[in-house]
Amino acid sequence: MQTTEQNQAIHVTGIALRTSNDEAAQTIPPFWQRFGEQQVLAAIPGRIGTDVLAVYTQFAHAGVDNQGLYSLVIGAEVSPDAPVPAGMQRVVVSASRRAVFEVARGRPDLVGAAWQRIWATPLPKTYLADYERYTQDGAITISVGIEPASA
C-alpha cells in the first residue's frame, strides 16, 4: 500500500449497479459480464485513456461505512464535458488523499480478496468514492479514499 494525493477530480462514465456487500457475490460478477458482452467501453464518448475504472460510491452511509446499499459504476475516465449516453451514469471521484493497493497483475479474480484485506486494514477511510483501475497491460490497483493527514 502507498498513500498519495489525487490532485484532480476523476470523471467516470459507465453502467451503474445498485448493490450491497451482502449481495455483491451474486450481483457484481454478472454485472462485469454485462460490461464486457455489451462492449460498454466502446460506447463511452470522451474517454481519457484506455483504463477501465470500477467506482464504488453513493454509499447508504456515506462518510461512515460501506454497509447497506452503494452504487458501482464500471466505465472509463472521461473529460468533464463529455456527454453521458442513455443508460449510463457519470460519477465524480473528488480530489482526495488515497491509499492505493496493488493486486497481482492480470488477476482480477483476486480483487475480492484484496477488498477483504483493505476493509480489515485500520485506515481512516472516507467511504465517499473508492475505485479499481484496470490497465491494458494487466495492472490492477484499488484506490481508497482516506482522511487527510492531521496536522
Side-chain angles (χ1 to χ4, degrees), residues 24-144:
Q26 293 78 37
T27 59
I28 293 177
F31 189 60
W32 271 104
Q33 183 175 356
R34 176 181 157 212
F35 176 81
E37 287 175 352
Q38 294 181 355
Q39 300 181 353
V40 172
L41 196 60
I44 299 172
R47 288 194 322 261
I48 298 172
T50 58
D51 295 353
V52 172
L53 280 83
V55 181
Y56 299 83
T57 190
Q58 301 167 348
F59 294 97
H61 305 118
V64 177
D65 62 34
N66 62 349
Q67 301 304 305
L69 293 173
Y70 56 83
S71 293
L72 167 59
V73 175
I74 304 174
E77 184 174 355
V78 297
S79 59
D81 59 349
V84 179
M88 292 193 197
Q89 182 176 330
R90 162 124 2 114
V91 292
V92 178
V93 179
S94 298
S96 58
R97 185 166 178 79
R98 313 218 48 96
V100 181
F101 301 81
E102 291 187 18
V103 177
R105 184 176 300 275
R107 294 295 306 270
D109 58 307
L110 298 178
V111 170
W115 275 113
Q116 294 295 325
R117 288 190 302 278
I118 291 166
W119 292 330
T121 303
L123 289 170
K125 301 170 191 81
T126 60
Y127 299 106
L128 297 175
D130 302 324
Y131 60 91
E132 301 159 7
R133 181 180 295 270
Y134 299 83
T135 65
Q136 282 194 322
D137 68 357
I140 304 169
T141 57
I142 299 175
S143 179
V144 177

